[in-house]
Amino acid sequence: MSTYLPTIKQLQYLVALHEHGHFGKAADASFVSQSTLSAGLRELESLLGVTLVERSRRVVRFTALGEQVVAKANRLLREAEELADLVQASGKPLSGELRMSVIPTIAPFLLPRMLPRLKRERPDLKLLLREETSHDALESLNHGRVDCVLLALPFDTGDAAIAHISDDRLFIAFPKDDPRDPPASIKPDMIDQGRLLLLEDGHCLRDHALAACNRAELRASAAMIGTSLHTLVQLVDNDLGLTMLPEMALKAGILAGTQVVARPVDSPTAKREIVLAWRKNSPRESDFQLLAEELRAG
């Protein structure tokens, strides 16, 4: 048997460095100083007697053995998380720490309404939140960095378990008086492809908006320039185009203080499905089902 076993913390440092490819960024993600992370990795290599990472001023490159160790470390960390989940699940329902990623087109609109009530009704729950795009959030889920993800479908969630929260209709937003007498709903063929502003690549709402229109030419011509829905609203308010907004954002008051007008898109695909996702067969599945119930009640 080996006389030395790596610590969980050392494996977390190694996986973080592999993910971020930069010591500073890996340290930030691990909530430690860069010197602490570097020292932990040097100790790991020293006690194992191998080089896992080739270091230079500009490049962090893992050795072939290092890549194998990272793959094994990911599996070990996930199993360690499952062990902690097993213990957590044996206690009071929906209590203790629960780490949740939320996508940016949901977080600012749902959380302010949901968190006060959740804190009041579930005082023993310590919810740790992080905002990530759908792809990054599911990566965090698969690597055990979070316990569950609040996101919107359609999106490929792999083999994650999911619970339906709500359907969220999509609206077209345009400057006041443009058109002067807007209809009660907007058909996709009425949308001016040359003026459509959407979120930049990486935000799933962009794909949801394009799917709602069901017009292939929009995918090529729509301007992907927004970094947030609030930015898009300001662009529309200054008569620079039109955009697509989820009903959730409208109910949260995203148009307050603007002259932007919004109408629902007249299409059966003009909606997204809000879901809670977690790792399949997680010991805390009952907690996630309870959390989904709380979210639906919000």
Side-chain angles (χ1 to χ4, degrees), residues 33-50:
S33 67
Q34 185 172 333
S35 59
T36 297
L37 183 135
S38 296
L41 291 176
R42 281 196 299 270
E43 182 182 14
L44 174 64
E45 290 179 317
S46 175
L47 293 171
L48 290 176
V50 295

Side-chain angles (χ1 to χ4, degrees), residues 10-283:
Q10 289 170 339
L11 295 180
Q12 288 173 331
Y13 291 166
L14 187 68
V15 167
L17 181 61
H18 187 267
E19 177 186 356
H20 294 281
H22 185 278
F23 278 90
K25 293 179 181 178
D28 290 342
S30 303
F31 303 102
V32 297
S33 67
Q34 185 172 333
S35 59
T36 297
L37 183 135
S38 296
L41 291 176
R42 281 196 299 270
E43 182 182 14
L44 174 64
E45 290 179 317
S46 175
L47 293 171
L48 290 176
V50 295
T51 298
L52 302 175
V53 182
E54 296 175 358
R55 301 161 174 84
S56 70
R57 288 186 176 182
R58 294 185 177 181
V59 179
V60 173
R61 182 178 293 108
F62 278 71
T63 63
L65 179 59
E67 292 285 353
Q68 295 178 48
V69 172
V70 167
K72 178 69 74 173
N74 272 313
R75 292 194 292 271
L76 290 173
L77 290 174
R78 181 181 295 185
E79 290 180 1
E81 291 288 344
E82 291 174 354
L83 186 151
D85 287 346
L86 183 65
V87 175
Q88 185 74 51
S90 66
K92 186 177 179 180
L94 206 53
S95 63
E97 286 192 359
L98 194 151
R99 303 163 303 164
M100 181 169 72
S101 283
V102 188
I103 63 172
T105 56
I106 293 179
F109 312 117
L110 179 63
L111 296 185
R113 186 176 80 244
M114 179 268 290
L115 290 178
R117 180 177 55 79
L118 197 60
K119 185 176 182 179
R120 183 176 63 253
E121 297 180 2
R122 300 284 182 175
D124 296 323
L125 175 65
K126 184 178 181 182
L127 197 59
L128 305 178
L129 299 168
R130 57 193 295 173
E131 189 177 77
E132 299 180 291
T133 63
S134 299
H135 176 271
D136 290 345
L138 289 170
E139 279 289 301
S140 293
L141 181 68
N142 290 332
H143 287 91
R145 292 188 294 273
V146 297
D147 304 306
C148 58
V149 175
L150 189 60
L151 76 163
L153 305 182
F155 193 86
D156 184 8
T157 58
D159 62 354
I162 61 172
H164 172 82
I165 305 300
S166 66
D167 287 331
D168 193 23
R169 292 193 301 166
L170 298 179
F171 285 63
I172 194 76
F174 45 88
K176 183 182 178 182
D177 296 329
D178 183 18
R180 187 170 297 279
D181 297 307
S185 62
I186 306 295
K187 293 185 178 298
D189 59 10
M190 295 175 61
I191 298 173
D192 185 346
Q193 66 187 58
R195 300 181 62 211
L196 186 61
L197 308 174
L198 297 176
L199 292 172
E200 63 186 5
D201 194 20
H203 293 273
C204 60
L205 183 60
R206 181 200 68 169
D207 294 324
H208 298 160
L210 292 170
C213 297
N214 195 27
R215 290 169 57 192
E217 72 273 17
L218 287 182
R219 187 170 295 275
S221 61
M224 315 298 184
I225 61 173
T227 57
S228 74
L229 291 181
H230 289 87
T231 299
L232 292 178
V233 167
Q234 292 304 312
L235 292 174
V236 174
D237 196 33
N238 283 278
D239 202 17
L240 296 176
L242 46 93
T243 193
M244 199 86 75
L245 297 174
E247 186 174 23
M248 176 187 297
L250 297 176
K251 289 182 176 179
I254 194 171
L255 300 185
T258 75
Q259 298 191 70
V260 176
V261 178
R263 294 288 188 272
V265 179
D266 184 7
S267 168
T269 59
K271 64 180 181 179
R272 59 180 188 165
E273 181 187 6
I274 309 302
V275 300
L276 185 70
W278 60 89
R279 288 184 293 276
K280 193 174 182 180
N281 300 321
S282 169

